[in-house]
Amino acid sequence: MRYEIFGEPLTVVTCHLDAGEAMITERGSMSWMTPNMLMETTSNGGIGKALGRMFAGEALFQNRYTAQAGPGSITFAASFPGSIRAIQIAPGKEIVTQKAAFLAAETGVELSVHLQKKFSSGLFGGEGFIMQRLSGSGIAFLEIDGSAVEYDLAPGESLIVDSGYLAAMDATVKLEVITVKGAKNMLFGGEGLFNTKLTGPGHVILQSMPVTAVAGSLAPYLMTGK
């Protein structure tokens, strides 16, 4: 499989497949494709894995697109202005993503639910108690809200992240919720009560324009019906 990513900030990725090669997606992200791409809707692993993906914020079923009788191509589009990142998934190189980050992947990539080990991290961490875990083998495409900013954290090195700005991280990165210090900061700082602390080792991808932050900025200007 070969791919091209283009069109920022309204990004798309075009995947060029040899005969028999296939891609999976879960949100109807297909934008255009050659006529020889066969679409199949599947639970991809049975009802148990399908339910796990549903709890992780994705659809119950996946769409599989396979090139038939020769090479084919398929294009997937992001649902929000931003960027697309291609991530190589391999045994021992698993990643954890926010619920809306997955766009498409080769069929060797498996999606499953990822539960925060600490209840407080899931309850107050901004991305929720349930995230997605990508494992297996193959290339996965992630949808990033706004621009992607990437860090490589050394063992024990930490980064404090405001809620919602975490797009993805290596499964080796530890996530915990910390309280904003100082009552005045909590009440009047405008940053909320909690932040997310990420501790290495591992790679971290942040996003500059979370859709939730954009929605919050636009809310005062929208008609309320009053």
Side-chain angles (χ1 to χ4, degrees):
M1 189 268 290
R2 297 178 296 104
Y3 65 88
E4 303 170 89
I5 298 174
F6 55 94
E8 289 192 18
L10 303 176
T11 321
V12 300
V13 56
T14 297
C15 300
H16 303 280
L17 309 179
D18 292 330
E21 287 189 315
M23 301 289 298
I24 56 171
T25 184
E26 295 200 338
R27 290 182 293 163
S29 301
M30 190 282 294
S31 297
W32 58 86
M33 62 185 182
T34 54
N36 66 323
M37 296 297 299
L38 175 66
M39 173 184 165
E40 300 173 278
T41 300
T42 173
S43 62
N44 200 13
I47 191 63
K49 287 189 176 181
L51 288 173
R53 291 193 302 268
M54 183 183 69
F55 288 131
E58 290 292 347
L60 189 63
F61 295 95
Q62 292 182 330
N63 291 334
R64 184 197 307 265
Y65 296 90
T66 305
Q68 299 284 304
S73 67
I74 183 170
T75 298
F76 303 98
S79 60
F80 188 76
S83 53
I84 293 174
R85 284 290 183 272
I87 307 294
Q88 180 67 56
I89 307 297
K93 186 62 176 177
E94 301 176 349
I95 66 169
V96 175
T97 75
Q98 59 143 313
K99 291 182 289 187
F102 176 76
L103 180 64
E106 294 184 285
T107 53
V109 175
E110 296 184 6
L111 275 72
S112 60
V113 62
H114 177 82
L115 300 177
Q116 300 294 344
K117 292 182 179 179
K118 291 185 177 180
F119 179 75
S120 60
S121 297
L123 190 62
F124 303 115
E127 290 303 334
F129 187 64
I130 299 175
M131 299 177 75
Q132 284 188 330
R133 189 180 190 94
L134 275 61
S135 59
S137 181
I139 296 176
F141 298 100
L142 303 184
E143 181 178 344
I144 309 297
D145 296 342
S147 298
V149 183
E150 305 186 40
Y151 292 89
D152 286 303
L153 299 180
E157 183 181 8
S158 296
L159 189 67
I160 307 300
V161 181
D162 195 356
S163 298
Y165 285 82
L166 173 63
M169 63 184 185
D170 286 345
T172 54
V173 176
K174 178 184 177 182
L175 184 153
E176 60 181 320
V177 169
I178 59 174
T179 305
V180 174
K181 295 181 179 179
K184 185 184 294 184
N185 293 335
M186 287 183 180
L187 295 174
F188 306 112
E191 297 295 340
L193 303 180
F194 304 97
N195 282 321
T196 298
K197 182 179 180 181
L198 306 174
T199 303
H203 190 71
V204 173
I205 304 177
L206 306 180
Q207 52 190 9
S208 67
M209 191 172 60
V211 64
T212 51
V214 174
S217 298
L218 293 177
Y221 303 98
L222 299 178
M223 295 180 61
T224 62
K226 295 182 179 180

